[in-house]
Amino acid sequence: MVNPFHLAIPVRSIGEARRFYISTLGCKLGRSTEQWIDLDLYGHQLVCHLDESLGADGKVRLINNSVDDHGVPVPHFGVVLGMTDWQQLAAKLQAAGTAFVIEPYIRFKGLAGEQATMFFLDPSGNALEFKAFRDFSQLFATD
């Protein structure tokens, strides 16, 4: 069994986070209060906590680091999916008109660690990356 991660993130609105993570990403709702919600994100425990101190625009502050000639938002989190699941999620997000930070594409093409990746933000500005490998043994591959 793979040990699931537990991640708690700030959000500006519990209702907005609930709609995004359940409707857009397909998470299942766990326990909840007016201050936080537990979500099943592909078998992992994601907890959204209300944070009324987020910036004036209600967004998490991010920086960008260059990876494969793209500005990758930091911090970010996500899940490594199987390629078919990744393709289905990318298609669902594109059909929903998701504004991507980095559009779905293949990173490190032809190199060790080649992967499909995409980045987008939740309504509070938390950056998410979903990626996939044709060969999971490449997850930690080096040159």
Side-chain angles (χ1 to χ4, degrees):
M1 173 186 155
V2 174
N3 296 325
F5 70 76
H6 162 82
L7 177 66
I9 61 170
V11 297
R12 65 185 182 190
S13 163
I14 295 299
E16 186 178 57
R18 181 189 311 256
R19 286 186 297 279
F20 175 81
Y21 284 98
I22 293 173
S23 297
T24 303
L25 291 183
C27 293
K28 291 184 180 84
L29 182 63
R31 294 173 301 276
S32 66
T33 72
E34 292 180 9
Q35 299 295 310
W36 56 267
I37 57 173
D38 268 348
L39 298 160
D40 176 346
L41 177 66
Y42 293 93
H44 302 283
Q45 185 186 36
L46 175 64
V47 184
C48 297
H49 286 272
L50 182 61
D51 181 353
E52 295 171 345
S53 72
L54 288 177
D57 62 356
K59 304 281 184 162
V60 172
R61 296 174 210 263
L62 301 172
I63 64 165
N64 286 308
N65 281 334
S66 181
V67 177
D68 196 35
D69 295 323
H70 287 84
V72 169
V74 176
H76 66 262
F77 70 95
V79 179
V80 179
L81 301 173
M83 190 59 75
T84 300
D85 289 337
W86 182 88
Q87 290 167 333
Q88 290 172 347
L89 178 59
K92 177 182 176 181
L93 293 170
Q94 288 169 323
T98 300
F100 289 94
V101 175
I102 299 175
E103 295 277 340
Y105 85 107
I106 303 298
R107 175 193 287 166
F108 309 135
K109 208 169 217 173
L111 302 173
E114 179 177 298
Q115 59 195 260
T117 188
M118 61 181 146
F119 287 82
F120 52 96
L121 305 178
D122 77 2
S124 296
N126 291 293
L128 291 92
E129 175 187 19
F130 285 81
K131 60 172 70 177
F133 294 81
R134 292 198 191 285
D135 177 0
F136 270 105
S137 73
Q138 292 290 297
L139 183 60
F140 298 106
T142 60
D143 294 333

